[in-house]
Amino acid sequence: MSEPDNTVAFRRRRLLFRATHRGTAENDLMIGGFVSAHLSSLTEDELGALETLMEIPDTVLADWLTGRVPIPPEQETAMLRRMRDYLKR
């Protein structure tokens, strides 16, 4: 029997897949790299924040993460800042 879709383990696996299969190599590396590095330590609330981020279109998210376009204040979440700061290192 498969595990329910709402378990933390299932959510982590789904997030990792979504983060590393975004459609462009640049996004796969940026987003997938962050998720791979942090996934095991994220709380359930942080998993939810990351799931919300995964709904942002690739081009928009890439522009925000690379600094090509400033993140609008109403979209700037703690998880998005954390991902952007991780990529600046």
Side-chain angles (χ1 to χ4, degrees), residues 14-33 35 50-62 65 83:
R14 183 177 56 207
L15 277 167
L16 182 60
F17 181 85
R18 289 182 69 196
T20 57
H21 294 82
R22 298 292 295 182
T24 64
E26 178 184 40
N27 284 343
D28 290 350
L29 292 172
M30 285 191 307
I31 300 165
V35 171
L50 188 54
E51 288 166 336
T52 300
L53 263 183
M54 293 290 122
E55 299 302 321
I56 297 171
D58 282 349
T59 54
V60 173
L61 192 52
L65 292 174
M83 188 179 289

Side-chain angles (χ1 to χ4, degrees), residues 34 53 65 71 73 75-88:
F34 172 82
L53 263 183
L65 292 174
I71 301 170
Q75 296 290 328
E76 191 168 1
T77 63
M79 183 58 69
L80 185 54
R81 280 192 309 273
R82 186 173 170 185
M83 188 179 289
R84 182 195 57 205
D85 293 345
Y86 172 81
L87 295 170
K88 285 182 178 180

